[in-house]
Amino acid sequence: MKTALVLEGGAMRGMFTAGALDVWIDAHIRFDAIIGVSAGALFGINYPSGQRGRALRYNLKYVGDKRYMGLRSLLATGNIVNAEFAYYEVCKRLDVFDEAAFRRSGVDFYAVATELSSGGAEYIRITEPMRQMEVLRATAALPFVSRPVAIAGRLYLDGGVADSIPLGFAHSLGCDRLAAVLTRPADYRKAPPGGALRALTRLRYGKYPAFAESMERRWEMYNREAEEASRAEAGGGLFVLRPSAPLDVARFETDRAKLQAAYDEGARQGAAALPGLRKFLGE
């Protein structure tokens, strides 16, 4: 039996995921593979390294720091999340990522990014997070408020544009026991984009028509994958942890109390789910 954990994105809604994962770190729940999308990858990478509390800690400490994210960074760098500070200085110096522990874990970790020319999802294995930091930037680089990230001569943005809940990729790895942490309630579905947003997408990404089409059709992809997840869960082939109600957290939330509350809710639900998860994984 080979197990995989799929982690949906959602920017600061990912604090819910971080809370659940910290509880599962304490409980020594192990997966053979982890596939993270956007914030799911950024916060989930602390799972193989065993760094309980790290995602919450650095976000609470720096979320109000102008060097971290916000309009100032967007105007100065083209990225609402400041790449040099948030990805490099934090990880290398201010709240050091334990790459040695990550390697020792033996977990196959993948980050999903959307390639602009094809508009399709790519699943990039992370073996050396510090050397591959641009991949982690790419998976979480939200359209309109991020510059495309160059990797090996190609450009990428947010993995959630092309594959928000990558259960199919997890199956392709030979994993037959899948768990997922989602950041939306079970009944959430995306609405089609309005005319203004479609026009803005075509204007901004006109050089990349396949990517623009993926953006415009993201709602269909997301809803299809959400339905597939619900069917798999009902059939016993997928273990899902998700918020029971919408999280009161904005995409670029700076209210520390709201971030803490989302984390605490994830931890609470993650703890409550432990018996079922252990049984599902055959522990």
Side-chain angles (χ1 to χ4, degrees), residues 8 13 165 182-193 218-233 240 242-243 246:
E8 184 186 7
R13 291 196 312 275
I165 309 173
L182 309 182
T183 58
R184 297 284 198 182
D187 61 354
Y188 175 81
R189 297 294 182 270
K190 288 188 180 296
R218 183 185 182 187
W219 69 281
E220 296 176 334
M221 173 273 296
Y222 183 91
N223 293 347
R224 181 178 65 252
E225 292 188 338
E227 293 287 351
E228 290 170 356
S230 294
R231 285 195 297 271
E233 181 184 20
V240 179
R242 56 166 72 84

Side-chain angles (χ1 to χ4, degrees), residues 171-217:
H171 281 300
S172 78
L173 296 175
C175 298
D176 48 13
R177 289 281 181 174
L178 270 58
V181 180
L182 309 182
T183 58
R184 297 284 198 182
D187 61 354
Y188 175 81
R189 297 294 182 270
K190 288 188 180 296
L197 181 56
R198 291 198 302 271
L200 182 60
T201 298
R202 293 182 191 127
L203 178 65
R204 177 66 179 83
Y205 298 107
K207 290 173 57 179
Y208 308 100
F211 180 79
E213 183 176 358
S214 291
M215 286 273 291
E216 291 180 20
R217 303 190 67 172

